[in-house]
Amino acid sequence: MAEHAGEHESAAESLMEKISEKIRGHDSSSSSSDSDDDKPSPIEAVKSKIFRLFGREKPVHKVMGGGKVADIILWRNKKISAGVLGGATALWVLFELLEYHLITLVCHILILSLAMFFLWSNASTFINKSRPHIPDVSIPEDYFLQVASALRIEINRAMTLLHDIASGRDLKKFLTVIAGLWVLSIVSSWCNFLTLFYVVFILLHTVPVVYEKYDDKIDSFAEKAMVEIKRQYAVFDAKVLSKIPRGPLKEKKKD
């Protein structure tokens, strides 16, 4: 009897040990899963390490506002985008190639429109048809104020940027703006303002679409280009900029 009791006790102890090991294993797995939940997934970690042009973290559509303007630029509706691009091309052909003038075009359009509506309104009494419905067109005050406010914000931002550059706080930004203005002056000497505006309009309707379609390849090439630009700037800084004498900065005494 004593031997049977000892066997029962040893079997019970072994059973309890197995149960405790299972509980410990479950706790360790749950704790490891909790720690894994806290850590970012491998896909998110890889995405965070990928270089994006201009530090982009959102899709191109959201970066450009995500509204109707972004839909037109990114050709979400091909008919509307093609219509806008065709209208801009027609205006460029009229003003640039045919040497039409803006005021002349506006006057001719108004003459034709007024003559058509005038004749239609007077002829409706003889042909027994209803007169044309001419809608009342007016610019909403809220919309006009929103456009003016947005324009004021952008102008103030540009003035702040010019003030920071002129004050000599950021040499890199100063050189970037000078180089951009120099390139713009060269390009503007090749063509007039209308042609330059049309070229920018064409680029705005082509470059974002191409970038959205081939963003991985373009970002990879841009990363290599940025590395090379930084290396060349470091060499230029070491050989030229660092040798420019600068006066000591005097701290203002506080009373």
Side-chain angles (χ1 to χ4, degrees), residues 226-244:
M226 289 299 295
V227 171
E228 183 64 23
I229 290 172
K230 289 180 180 179
R231 189 177 68 84
Q232 295 295 334
Y233 178 78
V235 174
F236 180 73
D237 188 14
K239 292 183 178 180
V240 179
L241 299 180
S242 61
K243 296 181 180 180
I244 297 176

Side-chain angles (χ1 to χ4, degrees), residues 181-202:
L181 292 175
W182 180 67
V183 172
L184 183 61
S185 65
I186 294 176
V187 173
S188 62
S189 64
W190 296 341
C191 56
N192 56 15
F193 176 76
L194 181 62
T195 303
L196 181 62
F197 181 79
Y198 178 69
V199 170
V200 173
F201 190 83
I202 294 295

Side-chain angles (χ1 to χ4, degrees), residues 147-190:
V147 173
S149 178
L151 184 62
R152 181 183 63 84
I153 292 173
E154 294 300 327
I155 292 175
N156 289 335
R157 186 179 300 173
M159 296 298 291
T160 303
L161 178 63
L162 293 176
H163 180 270
D164 293 340
I165 294 172
S167 61
R169 297 177 181 176
D170 194 343
L171 181 60
K172 186 176 181 180
K173 188 181 294 184
F174 169 76
L175 295 176
T176 303
V177 172
I178 292 299
L181 292 175
W182 180 67
V183 172
L184 183 61
S185 65
I186 294 176
V187 173
S188 62
S189 64
W190 296 341

Side-chain angles (χ1 to χ4, degrees), residues 99-129:
E99 296 182 354
Y100 220 67
H101 298 285
L102 178 61
I103 298 178
T104 306
L105 178 64
V106 173
C107 291
H108 287 174
I109 291 175
L110 290 176
I111 289 171
L112 291 176
S113 301
L114 292 174
M116 183 182 66
F117 283 114
F118 180 81
L119 293 175
W120 188 0
S121 299
N122 287 279
S124 61
T125 57
F126 299 100
I127 59 178
N128 295 324
K129 287 188 177 182

Side-chain angles (χ1 to χ4, degrees), residues 16-238:
M16 292 298 293
E17 289 177 357
K18 291 180 180 180
I19 293 173
S20 63
E21 288 177 358
K22 289 183 179 181
I23 293 173
R24 290 175 182 175
H26 179 71
D27 293 338
S28 62
S29 62
S30 62
S31 63
S32 62
S33 63
D34 293 338
S35 62
D36 292 337
D37 292 338
D38 296 335
K39 295 180 180 179
S41 61
I43 298 175
E44 292 178 354
V46 171
K47 285 184 178 180
S48 62
K49 294 181 180 179
I50 296 176
F51 176 84
R52 294 297 182 186
L53 196 62
F54 304 114
R56 178 175 63 87
E57 297 179 356
K58 299 179 181 179
V60 180
H61 187 266
K62 290 185 178 180
V63 171
M64 303 192 71
K68 293 182 179 179
V69 177
D71 293 339
I72 294 173
I73 293 175
L74 296 176
W75 293 77
R76 292 289 191 268
N77 192 331
K78 294 183 179 180
K79 292 182 179 180
I80 297 177
S81 300
V84 171
L85 188 60
T89 304
L91 291 176
W92 180 77
V93 170
L94 283 174
F95 294 138
E96 185 64 23
L97 299 183
L98 301 180
E99 296 182 354
Y100 220 67
H101 298 285
L102 178 61
I103 298 178
T104 306
L105 178 64
V106 173
C107 291
H108 287 174
I109 291 175
L110 290 176
I111 289 171
L112 291 176
S113 301
L114 292 174
M116 183 182 66
F117 283 114
F118 180 81
L119 293 175
W120 188 0
S121 299
N122 287 279
S124 61
T125 57
F126 299 100
I127 59 178
N128 295 324
K129 287 188 177 182
S130 60
R131 292 187 175 186
H133 175 68
I134 303 174
D136 295 331
V137 179
S138 60
I139 299 176
E141 183 179 358
D142 295 337
Y143 181 76
F144 185 79
L145 292 177
Q146 290 177 2
V147 173
S149 178
L151 184 62
R152 181 183 63 84
I153 292 173
E154 294 300 327
I155 292 175
N156 289 335
R157 186 179 300 173
M159 296 298 291
T160 303
L161 178 63
L162 293 176
H163 180 270
D164 293 340
I165 294 172
S167 61
R169 297 177 181 176
D170 194 343
L171 181 60
K172 186 176 181 180
K173 188 181 294 184
F174 169 76
L175 295 176
T176 303
V177 172
I178 292 299
L181 292 175
W182 180 67
V183 172
L184 183 61
S185 65
I186 294 176
V187 173
S188 62
S189 64
W190 296 341
C191 56
N192 56 15
F193 176 76
L194 181 62
T195 303
L196 181 62
F197 181 79
Y198 178 69
V199 170
V200 173
F201 190 83
I202 294 295
L203 292 176
L204 190 62
H205 277 73
T206 53
V207 173
V209 179
V210 175
Y211 176 68
E212 187 183 29
K213 190 174 182 180
Y214 304 102
D215 57 347
D216 293 334
K217 296 180 180 179
I218 295 174
D219 288 336
S220 178
F221 178 78
E223 183 180 9
K224 296 178 182 178
M226 289 299 295
V227 171
E228 183 64 23
I229 290 172
K230 289 180 180 179
R231 189 177 68 84
Q232 295 295 334
Y233 178 78
V235 174
F236 180 73
D237 188 14

